[in-house]
Amino acid sequence: MKPEDLFLDTLEDLRRRCDLRASEYDMVQVAGLVRRLLFDGRPLWVEANQSYGFRPVYAWSGVRVATSGEGGRAPAWVSMHWLDPMLKDLLIRARVSPTEVDAAPVEPRTGNLSTFRQYDVIVSGEQRVSVQDVITHYANREGGVHYDSRPARSSLLADLLPERDLALRLTVLAVGRIVHRSLEPLGAQIALSRNPHPYGLSENFVMNVVREDTHG
């Protein structure tokens, strides 16, 4: 299977599993798909992008919501599904108390993969857990790729998992939605390069769009 085909199939699988009706199993599988697309050795999106020069931009919300501390532990601020800018307005509709919100709803942050992967989706005191930390844990320990019964490498994750697993899975779901949205243009570019006029798009129309995009 060519990298482009594997990329397109993986991206479509990610789209299906990021549905807002996703099961807990789907949420875990999202971590494995994101790991394959972004974080494995030579990431799949890089392999598929060799002929296209696409530069993805990631957009995410800075909202984090407090979870109650367990056993005397300080509360942890978790992004959950509000990491996805398309869902952050739900924070207002849910009428979450201002004292439980780590950042007011503002315009989404944007950046490249390096910036996004390092963003802290969980904060508790001086402890931090990044996007990549959460994805790696759910892919490598919770069954997104394989299951490992050993405790989480992050002590903060280990503390949160017994009571806040759903909040963490919702964070994984939001990461998957952001990644799909960021990489979908590359998928479209690959698909159109093979069949430039599907669904009523004429070849001349596609070429004109490409010219306009190239020449500003």
Side-chain angles (χ1 to χ4, degrees):
M1 188 178 237
K2 293 181 179 179
E4 292 92 338
D5 295 305
L6 184 56
F7 172 80
L8 290 174
D9 287 345
T10 303
L11 196 63
E12 174 60 16
D13 195 7
L14 181 62
R15 184 195 65 78
R16 289 196 302 264
R17 293 189 187 277
C18 284
D19 187 279
L20 293 179
R21 298 161 294 180
S23 67
E24 292 187 356
Y25 175 79
D26 284 327
M27 295 180 197
V28 170
Q29 298 310 305
V30 164
L33 297 170
V34 170
R35 195 193 83 167
R36 179 192 296 175
L37 286 165
L38 300 187
F39 302 142
D40 278 352
R42 183 169 168 82
L44 183 54
W45 88 268
V46 173
E47 290 285 354
N49 191 39
Q50 292 185 63
S51 300
Y52 303 95
F54 175 71
R55 295 183 180 181
V57 175
Y58 299 84
W60 66 96
S61 164
V63 173
R64 288 184 291 247
V65 179
T67 64
S68 60
E70 301 289 340
R73 174 182 54 75
W77 302 87
V78 183
S79 294
M80 301 201 305
H81 46 301
W82 291 305
L83 182 69
D84 180 358
M86 290 187 67
L87 302 180
K88 71 181 179 64
D89 289 341
L90 291 175
L91 183 65
I92 299 173
R93 297 173 193 169
R95 298 179 183 177
V96 176
S97 167
T99 61
E100 297 176 333
V101 180
D102 187 37
V106 294
E107 289 301 310
R109 305 180 182 193
T110 59
N112 59 19
L113 174 58
S114 178
T115 304
F116 178 56
R117 73 196 295 175
Q118 295 175 48
Y119 177 72
D120 295 322
V121 288
I122 306 171
V123 176
S124 181
E126 297 300 315
Q127 294 180 287
R128 301 284 190 272
V129 178
S130 69
V131 166
Q132 184 164 356
D133 293 334
V134 170
I135 292 300
T136 299
H137 172 77
Y138 273 87
N140 295 3
R141 301 273 184 171
E142 301 293 328
V145 175
H146 56 77
Y147 182 76
D148 187 339
S149 60
R150 290 176 294 178
R153 294 179 181 178
S154 162
S155 59
L156 178 55
L157 268 180
D159 288 344
L160 288 174
L161 278 166
E163 299 294 332
R164 302 299 174 196
D165 181 47
L166 179 58
L168 300 179
R169 291 182 193 228
L170 286 171
T171 304
V172 171
L173 179 69
V175 171
R177 289 173 58 85
I178 292 165
V179 170
H180 180 270
R181 196 176 303 124
S182 301
L183 295 180
E184 188 176 26
L186 175 59
Q189 196 171 355
I190 293 171
L192 286 171
S193 72
R194 298 175 173 185
N195 184 12
H197 44 88
Y199 312 116
L201 291 179
S202 70
E203 186 171 1
N204 288 336
F205 172 81
V206 173
M207 292 306 297
N208 287 335
V209 169
V210 171
R211 290 192 192 98
E212 290 175 5
D213 184 61
T214 302
H215 298 292

